Amino acid sequence: MSQSPRANAERLWQSLRSMSDIGATPAGGVTRLTLTKLDGEARDLFVGWAKEAGCTIRIDPFGNIFARREGRRPDLPPVVIGSHLDTQPAGGNYDGVYGVLAALEVVRALNDAQLDTERSIEVVSWTNEEGARFQPPMLGSGVFTGVFSLDFGLSLTDKEGIRLGDALSDIGYAGTDHIAATSIHAALEVHIEQGPVLEKEAIDIGVVTGAQGQRRYEIQLTGQSAHAGTTPLDYRADAALGLARSIEAVRRIGIAQGEAARATVGYVSLSPNSPNVVAGGAVFSVEFRHVENNTLDIMEEALLKEIQQIADDTKLEHSVERIIDYAPISFDSRMVDLVEQTAKQYQYSYKRMVSGAGHDACYLSRVTPTAMIFIPCVDGISHNEAEQIYPNWAEAGANVLLGAALAKANDVEK
Ligand SMILES: [Zn+2]
């Protein structure tokens, strides 16, 4: 046990602090949207550090950065570790950034320990994980793994009409290196939990077994807008009433599937949305999440039935359109076991858990054995300037990443 190399907690924390200066907000968070000048600065800082640590830098045509610490056998597929440097607007200092800098700390710690590995280790920073400036999220890893075509990704535009491809060129990160997604030995991503469980239960490490599936719907209810004074209640086709009943129904559908189910109405819009007019139309979102696809099927069926019933009862027309369908992800069981074993080896408390959010690792898991490591974050707050972690939490995640990456980098059997 004592021979296990360890992350340098202070260096990791210092690096996090320095990175936080780029795009820092007065409230202590950071705004560093993908492919902005600030994102370019963050990339430059990371690349500079990686070079100092002896890495070779490659950048693919979508701007994903790969910093390679060469192994003894460069011909073998590498182990890929990392996350993303972009943030939400008024976002936090750790979502994604921690995963990239902890991966960099793995390289630095291996250098300190003068440990060579059989396979190369590549620290990766994926482009546009957040999907705040360009939709959809997890775009860099999605293009890399073939979920989206390169042309699709490059031709997306932001609110100002700027093409992603142009933004990428402007900051100097339109690379020309072709890195094959098909020859990666294993992938690992460490990330803050973005939920309250680990902190509440005082657990150091989340051993992530997979990610929830997600389905999102856009629902329209159409009635008749009418004068609020002259139209008796019985003669109304009131979309606001249909909306209210639908929100209740969505919660019921969630509760019926137990603790692991999530059911959310997060967006609503009434028209004409005027205090003295009966609403003639309602548009709202419904989002379901669960680890089992067939539970999502059951929830969807219940939703269609409930909305039909509500529309009939309230004399409304209705339409339900499914606009997102992400299947649940199960990470490679041997990779999950490895993360658990490594947490044990470093004597951290741990718990198996499912990710409630999407991550680059979800797409990576399509092309290579993949797992994720979670660390706690204060009050589970994320995508927020108040996002906070402590140095010892950061250290624990980096140590588990280090141990697991080292094991995979020395695993020369196919
Ligand atoms: Zn993230």
Side-chain angles (χ1 to χ4, degrees):
M1 299 301 134
S2 56
Q3 284 97 335
S4 303
R6 299 189 77 90
N8 180 328
E10 204 178 303
R11 178 172 53 198
L12 172 57
W13 197 253
Q14 271 315 316
S15 297
L16 283 163
R17 294 278 62 80
S18 302
M19 190 59 88
S20 295
D21 290 342
I22 303 175
T25 60
V30 63
T31 296
R32 203 169 53 233
L33 298 189
T34 195
L35 307 183
T36 55
K37 197 169 157 287
L38 290 171
D39 183 27
E41 285 176 33
R43 288 164 177 256
D44 291 348
L45 182 61
F46 164 66
V47 165
W49 281 338
K51 283 181 178 165
E52 277 170 31
C55 291
T56 319
I57 306 295
R58 292 185 299 164
I59 299 163
D60 78 7
F62 204 68
N64 297 313
I65 304 168
F66 295 78
R68 180 177 172 101
R69 184 183 192 262
E70 197 83 285
R72 280 196 209 101
R73 297 178 58 183
D75 53 306
L76 292 178
V79 175
V80 168
I81 56 176
S83 193
H84 58 95
L85 290 172
D86 66 321
T87 76
Q88 291 284 334
N93 293 313
Y94 305 100
D95 173 5
V97 183
Y98 167 64
V100 175
L101 297 184
L104 177 65
E105 178 53 37
V106 167
V107 167
R108 290 165 160 177
L110 290 174
N111 290 347
D112 289 351
Q114 296 180 302
L115 274 176
D116 286 338
T117 54
E118 296 298 323
R119 296 174 185 275
S120 302
I121 292 178
E122 302 219 11
V123 178
V124 63
S125 173
W126 301 108
T127 296
N128 187 37
E129 193 277 343
E130 294 291 0
R133 182 178 175 196
F134 300 98
Q135 293 279 353
M138 300 179 287
L139 202 57
S141 52
V143 168
F144 180 74
T145 56
V147 176
F148 309 111
S149 73
L150 178 63
D151 286 345
F152 167 81
L154 293 176
S155 63
L156 291 167
T157 52
D158 69 5
K159 275 195 303 226
E160 269 93 60
I162 299 169
R163 272 182 77 253
L164 189 151
D166 293 338
L168 191 55
S169 302
D170 282 351
I171 62 162
Y173 278 88
T176 52
D177 295 311
H178 286 271
I179 296 137
T182 46
S183 79
I184 292 175
H185 181 59
L188 288 158
E189 179 174 1
V190 64
H191 204 282
I192 61 170
E193 180 198 342
Q194 302 181 285
V197 176
L198 293 175
E199 188 197 22
K200 282 215 160 37
E201 299 182 12
I203 291 169
D204 303 314
I205 294 293
V207 178
V208 186
T209 57
Q212 289 179 341
Q214 179 186 340
R215 293 191 197 175
R216 193 181 302 168
Y217 308 85
E218 183 179 281
I219 300 182
Q220 297 206 26
L221 300 174
T222 311
Q224 179 67 54
S225 38
H227 194 294
T230 59
T231 319
L233 298 180
D234 273 353
Y235 295 111
R236 294 182 181 188
D238 182 352
L241 177 62
L243 170 65
R245 292 192 183 171
S246 300
I247 294 171
E248 283 282 7
V250 166
R251 185 170 171 85
R252 266 200 318 277
I253 291 166
I255 287 172
Q257 296 309 319
E259 215 188 316
R262 305 282 182 272
T264 306
V265 175
Y267 169 86
V268 305
S269 159
L270 283 179
S271 59
N273 207 22
S274 172
N276 57 359
V277 183
V278 176
V283 179
F284 60 101
S285 65
V286 172
E287 199 203 77
F288 293 143
R289 299 191 192 211
H290 198 274
V291 288
E292 301 286 346
N293 222 7
N294 72 331
T295 304
L296 291 171
D297 287 341
I298 292 167
M299 293 169 88
E300 178 171 298
E301 203 178 306
L303 178 70
L304 295 174
K305 225 165 103 183
E306 292 265 12
I307 298 293
Q308 171 81 59
Q309 189 64 53
I310 289 164
D312 289 350
D313 291 350
T314 50
K315 295 175 285 187
L316 301 171
E317 302 287 312
H318 75 285
S319 71
V320 179
E321 193 189 348
R322 192 208 288 153
I323 53 175
I324 283 181
D325 185 1
Y326 295 143
I329 306 262
S330 291
F331 289 134
D332 181 89
S333 64
R334 284 189 300 180
M335 289 294 290
V336 173
D337 290 347
L338 171 65
V339 170
E340 187 174 88
Q341 286 307 316
T342 311
K344 249 188 237 176
Q345 176 196 330
Y346 283 89
Q347 299 181 322
Y348 292 124
S349 57
Y350 62 87
K351 161 180 191 143
R352 287 188 174 230
M353 61 196 304
V354 171
S355 174
H359 293 288
D360 294 309
C362 297
Y363 284 150
L364 267 288
S365 73
R366 295 179 178 221
V367 297
T368 187
T370 300
M372 284 192 83
I373 302 154
F374 275 173
I375 62 163
C377 60
V378 174
D379 295 331
I381 293 172
S382 184
H383 286 188
N384 188 306
E385 291 166 291
E387 199 176 82
Q388 189 55 262
I389 64 174
Y390 297 114
N392 58 317
W393 295 354
E395 178 183 18
N399 276 332
V400 175
L401 180 66
L402 170 58
L406 184 60
K408 290 313 287 181
N410 284 329
D411 153 30
V412 287
E413 290 151 49
K414 187 53 211 159

